[in-house]
């Protein structure tokens, strides 16, 4: 069964638009990756400043391959200081990030017909 990775991002209100524009600008960056199954960017509705970035992968190995290649570039290459710009890399929109990992053990979709 598939695995799910959820990146939990703390995003201050003044950075929400920036974060959403950055994700929109990179639309399609992950969709062609081997083993990729699904992506959703979830905006908080009330009572929190936490965005969830949901991705679903065929296997953990597929996710790790993506992270070692295109994912590393998409996530800033692992560098970057807290103090703002580094080279031409923009300051992160999120102030904190945590990665959650899950295995899909059950799933359901809408009934057909």
């Amino acid at each position: 069964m598939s695995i799910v990775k959820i990146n939990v991002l703390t995003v201050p209100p003044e950075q929400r638009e920036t974060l959403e524009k950055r994700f929109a600008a990179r639309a399609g960056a992950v969709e062609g990756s081997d083993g990729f199954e699904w992506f959703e960017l979830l905006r908080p509705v009330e009572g929190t400043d936490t965005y969830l970035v949901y991705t679903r992968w065929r296997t953990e190995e597929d996710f790790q391959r993506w992270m070692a290649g295109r994912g590393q570039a998409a996530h800033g290459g692992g560098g970057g200081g807290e103090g703002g710009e580094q080279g031409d890399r923009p300051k992160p929109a999120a102030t904190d990030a945590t990665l959650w990992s899950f295995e899909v053990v059950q799933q359901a979709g809408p009934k057909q017909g």
Side-chain angles (χ1 to χ4, degrees):
M1 272 256 179
S2 302
I3 61 141
V4 170
K5 300 293 182 172
I6 300 174
N7 200 356
V8 183
L9 304 175
T10 303
V11 182
E14 66 275 9
Q15 289 293 93
R16 284 181 167 201
E17 185 176 349
T18 298
L19 178 86
E20 291 178 24
K21 284 182 179 179
R22 287 180 185 170
F23 270 94
R26 58 181 286 288
V30 71
E31 285 88 330
S33 300
D34 190 41
F36 171 79
E37 296 180 348
W38 199 258
F39 163 85
E40 291 178 324
L41 175 62
L42 306 176
R43 176 193 303 138
V45 176
E46 57 186 35
T48 184
D49 56 0
T50 303
Y51 274 73
L52 301 178
V53 182
Y54 173 100
T55 57
R56 182 171 160 150
W57 298 86
R58 180 180 51 213
T59 66
E60 176 68 26
E61 292 74 23
D62 290 324
F63 172 74
Q64 292 301 329
R65 262 193 307 278
W66 178 76
M67 280 300 295
R70 296 166 95 189
Q72 187 174 22
H75 289 93
E82 291 294 317
E85 306 284 333
Q86 179 181 8
D88 60 352
R89 185 176 299 146
K91 179 181 174 187
T95 59
D96 190 33
T98 302
L99 183 64
W100 295 343
S101 299
F102 298 89
E103 291 179 327
V104 176
V105 292
Q106 293 184 25
Q107 62 186 14
K111 291 185 178 184
Q112 301 297 318

